[in-house]
C-alpha cells in the first residue's frame, strides 16, 4: 500500500461514506449499495478502489462477500498527517 493510493481512495466522498459505513462492522456489497442512489456497478468500482488501496478487505462466506475495514492500512496516512501537528 502506498500513501498516494490511500489519499486518492479517500479523496472521493462516496468512498469516504463507504468507509464510515464499514466502521459499524462488515457489510455485504448489496447492503452498502442500499445506502446510495448509485448503480451496483458504481459501488463495485468504489469498493475495488478501496480494496486496491488496502483500506478494506473482503471475506467470502457462502454466496456472499463481506467487506470490512483494514485498520492497519490507515496507520501510514495517520503518521504522515500527524507530521503536520506537534503530536508525537
Amino acid at each position: 500500500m502506498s500513501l498516494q493510493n490511500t489519499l486518492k481512495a479517500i479523496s472521493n466522498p462516496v468512498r469516504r461514506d463507504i468507509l464510515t459505513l464499514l466502521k459499524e462492522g462488515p457489510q455485504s456489497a448489496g447492503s452498502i449499495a442500499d445506502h446510495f442512489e448509485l448503480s451496483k456497478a458504481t459501488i463495485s468500482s468504489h469498493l475495488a478502489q478501496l480494496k486496491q488501496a488496502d483500506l478494506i478487505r473482503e471475506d467470502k462466506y457462502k454466496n456472499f462477500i463481506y467487506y470490512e475495514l483494514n485498520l492497519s492500512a490507515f496507520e501510514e496516512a495517520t503518521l504522515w498527517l500527524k507530521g503536520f501537528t506537534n503530536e508525537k
Side-chain angles (χ1 to χ4, degrees):
M1 175 193 71
S2 73
L3 179 60
Q4 181 177 346
N5 287 343
T6 301
L7 295 176
K8 181 179 177 183
I10 63 174
S11 70
N12 183 283
V14 172
R15 291 193 287 271
R16 289 193 306 268
D17 288 345
I18 291 172
L19 292 171
T20 300
L21 283 172
L22 292 175
K23 281 174 51 177
E24 299 171 13
Q27 294 190 38
S28 68
S31 175
I32 293 168
D34 288 343
H35 290 87
F36 300 93
E37 292 184 13
L38 300 169
S39 72
K40 291 186 189 242
T42 300
I43 294 298
S44 179
S45 174
H46 285 299
L47 290 170
Q49 291 177 11
L50 289 169
K51 213 172 114 184
Q52 181 181 4
D54 203 29
L55 293 171
I56 63 172
R57 60 183 107 176
E58 64 181 29
D59 185 30
K60 296 179 182 180
Y61 179 74
K62 295 188 180 181
N63 292 335
F64 297 96
I65 298 175
Y66 290 89
Y67 294 90
E68 63 184 336
L69 293 177
N70 180 12
L71 296 177
S72 63
F74 288 89
E75 290 176 7
E76 181 181 1
T78 301
L79 289 173
W80 183 77
L81 290 168
K82 280 186 177 182
F84 292 98
T85 67
N86 292 331
E87 293 183 40
K88 300 203 185 232

